Amino acid sequence: MRPVSVWQWSLWGLLLCLLCSSCLGSPSPSTAPEKRAGSQGLRFRLAGFPRKPFEGRVEIQRAGEWGTICDDDFTLQAAHVLCRELGFTEATGWTHSAKYGPGTGRIWLDNLSCSGTERSVTECASRGWGNSDCTHDEDAGVICKDERLPGFSDSNVIEVEHHLQVEEVRLRPAVGRGRRPLPVTEGLVEVRVPDGWSQVCDKGWSAHNSHVVCGMLGFPSEKRVNVAFYRPITKLKAKPKPRVGRGPIKRLLAQRQQHSFGLHGVACVGTEAHLSLCSLEFYRANDTTRCPGGAPAVVSCVPSPLYAASSGQKKQQSKPQGEARVRLKGGAHPGEGRVEVLKAGTWGTVCDRKWDLQAASVVCRELGFGSAREALSGARMGQGMGAIHLSEVRCSGQEPSLWKCPHRNITAEDCSHSQDAGVRCNLPYTGVETKIRLSGGRSRHEGRVEVQTGGPGSLRWGLICGDDWGTLEAMVACRQLGLGYANHGLQETWYWDSGNITEVVMSGVHCTGTELSLDQCAHHGTHVACKRTGSHFTAGVICSETASDLLLHSALVQETAYIEDRPLHMLYCAAEENCLASSARSANWPYGHRRLLRFSSQIHNLGRADFRPKAGRHSWVWHECHGHYHSMDIFTHYDILTPNGTKVAEGHKASFCLEDTECQEDVSKRYECANFGEQGITVGCWDLYRHDIDCQWIDITDVKPGNYILQVVINPNFEVAESDFTNNAMKCNCKYDGHRIWVHNCHIGDAFSEEANRRFERYPGQTSNQII
């Protein structure tokens, strides 16, 4: 047969197209999504644990082989495409660094780049199928919206690894059902599966399994438990005499008859962050004999001192372990934040390269929490400042401290603060959020604070007196509610109707800001004393998931400090704004001079929200002399203190120009005070007050020669909410001989080691105000 040439086929095709009506217009819409041409031959599934049915590690089957996707360059747009491939309408998020566990086999795609509108993942740019330089520690996952595409009916696989998974774990106390202090630290292990709660067979149960369970429940460690107390008592009839103790025994036996085993064969290594990552087996529905000769697994956990107090347990005398070398900063909730480590007396951050759940769990347990719920990268908890001490931390999960994990020391060129690592830890359930609520607000984040008081049978809800209620108290209330930080603490709530609740049940509340609940703050107890009566003069809050965090550049203060003798005739404006010592009022104006300690201050905003003045523009005060608006009464305190803390000189500075002087490379300035502009400090920017600006000084005219402490406190009255007030104070050694001044050893409040603080206190001559 003669072969048909290409051009002949083209003519026949053109003729057929002209005769076909479908070629003349767009095809009619179909009710079911058509099979993606680009996805032919590919199958998709979600895998890994712990997860829900609509989230997990993305796996693709190509050429009969299952593989994963690398998280390099992965975005939410790529997640949208993959979720549609899996039969969901869209993505709500994505994960990296093998959050759902590392996969196996090939890594099919790397550097995947999608716009989000593609009909198939094959239409997205990538390095090509099977071409990757990643490991399975970088497997990407997606979190899809729990809404299926209508009529979706292709061959993609949604669930293949296991039809069951451990979704949640709890401890159920074995004796009695009365009210017990929370958190529960000992009991029968129960796991929640799609059908409900089931117990775990204790055959082969090990301390490693208990360690994993305690970590999931927010406890750093486990302890041995008297299993015999929980096992069936076979010789009860042989010894009927001790009738007093049979009440608890009967209750135990009654509960033993209700055993419902759903899980067995649990074998953990002890480093897993979740029970689902351990080797385990579920009983099949047709298994008639379950856990023969065994009993429910029992676990006893050891809470950290912070939570032991709330559970009514005796606070254990912890052995002195030296100073803390790991801390969390910038988190909106307890047990979460940016990881910072102490090295050579200086706090620094951790680079997120190779950051995973094992390393995050070591941090969480070291700080007294459970295992890590999430290992965060990309400065999700805000960017740090200063050194980056560690990179490529590789923990097995058994280390007592992050410093015991293999890691690499890095230089500034290797990593930036945009890659700061963070964690979210598992916390014990304390139930404190059930004892507080908000009413009358426009959203769940604001309202009048109501607390529950009284004992069993006499519980009642009431209000809190607004006297002395401020930002620190509001911070504790928002934390107890699980709503993050406090934007405002209000003493009057006229515009929030309290409904039927009018009784004030708590007054005199005074918090440090670190408490987990208002019960832990000082207050008047059962005696209520309120200066202003009525439900309108009660406490209210406005909470937020983000907050600012100001930090002073302490090295700049040290580098720029000097003394200036300034003529009085140049200080009229400063005197008008009360920037001089009180003795200046009796000076022989305009003759003479004042001696000023001058220095520059550079204030960074490291938080996750802009720092804005509490007062609105309508209440800012215009100062004609300097030609500026005051947006805050006091923005910074400057003090000269003796070694025993006595103040000998002071200065203060109103925020006459709170603005973005400079910002990081990828951040744009937002605030400029010129021409009555908006005032504030953007996240990632800093406000610089140069040493030659009026009031950027302390008047030390009346200070005698000696050894002193220079102290600078930002936002001293807590007028504006911040995520962290512990880093708002700076101290320096200060030596003054009557003519010159030496300022050195400047450091930020808690951002200094205990040993360095001791060295600071032992500075030669600190005990005397005489030059030695």
Side-chain angles (χ1 to χ4, degrees):
M1 180 184 293
R2 267 178 61 185
V4 181
S5 63
V6 175
W7 69 269
Q8 288 176 312
W9 277 118
S10 301
L11 289 174
W12 280 107
L14 179 62
L15 180 61
L16 288 172
C17 185
L18 290 172
L19 293 174
C20 179
S21 61
S22 64
C23 291
L24 300 176
S26 59
S28 58
S30 174
T31 56
E34 61 178 339
K35 181 67 180 176
R36 302 166 181 79
S39 295
Q40 289 180 359
L42 300 180
R43 301 175 74 198
F44 298 81
R45 70 184 183 191
L46 294 173
F49 295 98
R51 65 181 183 84
K52 295 183 175 69
F54 48 85
E55 65 178 344
R57 180 178 64 249
V58 180
E59 296 193 351
I60 305 176
Q61 187 187 54
R62 186 174 187 267
E65 183 178 356
W66 285 100
T68 62
I69 300 175
C70 180
D71 61 12
D72 288 352
D73 297 335
F74 200 88
T75 62
L76 184 62
Q77 285 69 33
H80 283 312
V81 177
L82 287 163
C83 283
R84 289 196 295 270
E85 294 271 26
L86 288 157
F88 298 97
T89 55
E90 61 180 334
T92 60
W94 65 277
T95 66
H96 55 83
S97 304
K99 175 184 175 180
Y100 300 102
T104 58
R106 300 281 293 274
I107 297 178
W108 279 121
L109 293 172
D110 189 5
N111 297 114
L112 184 65
S113 178
C114 306
S115 67
T117 60
E118 293 86 353
R119 301 175 68 190
S120 165
V121 72
T122 58
E123 299 175 12
C124 301
S126 70
R127 296 181 59 164
W129 289 97
N131 183 11
S132 171
D133 59 358
C134 300
T135 66
H136 282 295
D137 289 335
E138 301 169 85
D139 283 343
V142 295
I143 304 166
C144 303
K145 186 177 182 180
D146 191 13
E147 183 178 318
R148 301 304 303 273
L149 287 170
F152 189 87
S153 59
D154 68 8
S155 60
N156 288 340
V157 180
I158 303 299
E159 193 78 37
V160 294
E161 280 194 3
H162 298 279
H163 294 293
L164 292 174
Q165 62 175 331
V166 176
E167 299 177 3
E168 194 177 343
V169 174
R170 73 181 182 187
L171 295 181
R172 184 164 61 87
V175 181
R177 296 184 178 180
R179 291 174 58 89
R180 288 184 191 78
L182 294 174
V184 176
T185 59
E186 181 175 308
L188 306 179
V189 180
E190 294 187 338
V191 297
R192 188 165 65 85
V193 292
D195 294 333
W197 289 94
S198 297
Q199 294 169 344
V200 182
C201 181
D202 69 349
K203 280 192 172 182
W205 189 265
S206 68
H208 292 319
N209 299 349
S210 299
H211 191 67
V212 174
V213 169
C214 288
M216 290 179 63
L217 296 172
F219 303 110
S221 59
E222 75 292 341
K223 65 179 180 180
R224 295 188 63 180
V225 61
N226 183 9
V227 180
F229 178 76
Y230 294 87
R231 284 193 170 272
I233 303 173
T234 57
K235 297 182 179 180
L236 184 61
K237 294 182 179 179
K239 296 181 180 180
K241 291 183 179 180
R243 304 181 61 85
V244 177
R246 293 187 64 184
I249 292 174
K250 285 182 178 180
R251 286 195 293 273
L252 279 171
L253 290 174
Q255 289 194 356
R256 289 190 187 110
Q257 295 171 359
Q258 302 172 4
H259 292 329
S260 174
F261 293 103
L263 195 63
H264 67 106
V266 179
C268 301
V269 177
T271 60
E272 297 87 349
H274 195 282
L275 197 63
S276 288
L277 301 174
C278 302
S279 173
L280 50 84
E281 295 181 49
F282 290 91
Y283 284 110
R284 294 187 178 90
N286 57 1
D287 287 337
T288 56
T289 304
R290 300 192 176 192
C291 198
V298 179
V299 165
S300 182
C301 303
V302 179
S304 67
L306 180 65
Y307 293 97
S310 64
S311 65
Q313 301 182 20
K314 290 183 179 179
K315 232 176 184 179
Q316 299 179 352
Q317 294 295 327
S318 57
K319 293 181 277 187
Q321 299 177 350
E323 59 183 318
R325 299 188 66 194
V326 178
R327 69 183 184 186
L328 301 181
K329 291 290 183 179
H333 307 278
E336 70 174 31
R338 178 179 63 252
V339 179
E340 296 189 352
V341 293
L342 184 67
K343 180 180 179 182
T346 303
W347 287 98
T349 61
V350 178
C351 184
D352 64 6
R353 291 180 185 171
K354 301 189 183 302
W355 186 249
D356 58 15
L357 277 175
Q358 277 67 41
S361 292
V362 170
V363 170
C364 290
R365 291 185 189 272
E366 183 177 359
L367 294 172
F369 304 108
S371 53
R373 183 161 49 93
E374 194 170 356
L376 304 171
S377 62
R380 291 268 300 278
M381 290 294 168
Q383 295 188 23
M385 181 177 169
I388 302 175
H389 287 324
L390 303 179
S391 180
E392 298 185 17
V393 180
R394 304 298 287 171
C395 301
S396 68
Q398 298 175 331
E399 294 84 356
S401 171
L402 191 68
W403 283 103
K404 299 294 184 182
C405 301
H407 59 270
R408 192 166 70 88
N409 297 320
I410 63 171
T411 62
E413 291 76 24
D414 293 324
C415 201
S416 68
H417 283 296
S418 63
Q419 297 170 269
D420 283 343
V423 297
R424 285 196 177 102
C425 305
N426 286 316
L427 306 180
Y429 177 71
T430 60
V432 294
E433 74 282 358
T434 63
K435 300 178 181 179
I436 187 173
R437 67 189 184 189
L438 300 182
S439 66
R442 297 161 295 181
S443 71
R444 71 183 189 93
H445 286 86
E446 66 178 29
R448 184 173 293 170
V449 181
E450 297 178 0
V451 291
Q452 192 180 61
T453 59
S458 61
L459 291 175
R460 70 186 194 277
W461 288 94
L463 304 172
I464 300 176
C465 178
D467 293 347
D468 302 321
W469 181 267
T471 303
L472 296 180
E473 290 71 32
M475 285 178 67
V476 176
C478 291
R479 183 181 298 119
Q480 184 176 352
L481 286 159
L483 297 177
Y485 305 112
N487 265 352
H488 298 288
L490 305 173
Q491 297 183 357
E492 298 181 15
T493 51
W494 292 84
Y495 44 89
W496 286 333
D497 184 14
S498 62
N500 297 327
I501 306 297
T502 58
E503 182 185 6
V504 177
V505 297
M506 185 179 288
S507 64
V509 181
H510 179 73
C511 304
T512 64
T514 60
E515 296 87 351
L516 297 177
S517 68
L518 291 174
D519 287 338
Q520 297 177 358
C521 300
H523 57 87
H524 288 159
T526 56
H527 173 68
V528 177
C530 205
K531 296 176 184 177
R532 299 179 297 176
T533 59
S535 60
H536 295 308
F537 297 103
T538 54
V541 295
I542 300 176
C543 305
S544 172
E545 285 293 322
T546 59
S548 59
D549 184 18
L550 298 187
L551 185 68
L552 183 68
H553 186 6
S554 57
L556 186 64
V557 174
Q558 184 170 313
E559 294 165 3
T560 57
Y562 67 98
I563 286 178
E564 179 193 11
D565 290 332
R566 194 163 183 82
L568 281 173
H569 69 84
M570 300 178 68
L571 294 173
Y572 279 105
C573 284
E576 181 184 311
E577 296 193 13
N578 199 28
C579 294
L580 300 175
S582 58
S583 61
R585 298 191 189 97
S586 58
N588 185 23
W589 291 80
Y591 308 105
H593 66 273
R594 303 299 293 182
R595 176 156 290 184
L596 309 174
L597 170 59
R598 311 196 71 151
F599 50 87
S600 298
S601 64
Q602 185 173 298
I603 300 167
H604 294 246
N605 183 2
L606 301 183
R608 293 193 290 159
D610 294 351
F611 184 91
R612 299 296 310 278
K614 181 178 180 179
R617 294 163 61 112
H618 63 280
S619 59
W620 294 356
V621 179
W622 172 257
H623 280 253
E624 185 67 34
C625 194
H626 279 133
H628 58 252
Y629 283 94
H630 280 196
S631 56
M632 293 176 66
D633 290 336
I634 299 293
F635 178 57
T636 312
H637 271 163
Y638 302 140
D639 298 312
I640 297 290
L641 311 174
T642 63
N644 64 9
T646 303
K647 187 184 299 184
V648 295
E650 65 178 341
H652 76 276
K653 179 160 55 61
S655 60
F656 58 85
C657 186
L658 195 63
E659 65 180 2
D660 297 327
T661 307
E662 289 187 49
C663 300
Q664 298 168 3
E665 290 184 7
D666 55 342
V667 179
S668 299
K669 297 179 181 180
R670 298 183 59 185
Y671 302 106
E672 186 176 5
C673 58
N675 301 318
F676 197 35
E678 291 290 344
Q679 293 193 25
I681 307 177
T682 305
V683 176
C685 299
W686 55 90
D687 190 4
L688 174 64
Y689 291 93
R690 287 173 49 88
H691 56 83
D692 54 358
I693 295 177
D694 260 12
C695 295
Q696 183 60 37
W697 62 55
I698 303 177
D699 185 349
I700 62 171
T701 306
D702 306 318
V703 176
K704 298 177 181 179
N707 295 293
Y708 299 96
I709 297 172
L710 166 62
Q711 178 176 278
V712 179
V713 183
I714 306 168
N715 192 16
N717 299 332
F718 314 115
E719 284 188 47
V720 179
E722 297 186 47
S723 62
D724 185 6
F725 288 110
T726 63
N727 57 6
N728 281 29
M730 184 210 72
K731 290 184 178 181
C732 304
N733 281 120
C734 188
K735 182 177 180 179
Y736 176 49
D737 67 359
H739 305 284
R740 295 166 298 173
I741 198 161
W742 292 266
V743 175
H744 61 98
N745 203 16
C746 294
H747 66 276
I748 300 296
D750 68 341
F752 216 66
S753 68
E754 291 180 5
E755 175 58 29
N757 269 323
R758 285 192 288 269
R759 290 199 304 270
F760 178 81
E761 292 163 2
R762 291 198 304 264
Y763 173 73
Q766 284 282 62
T767 57
S768 171
N769 256 4
Q770 301 298 319
I771 296 296
I772 59 173

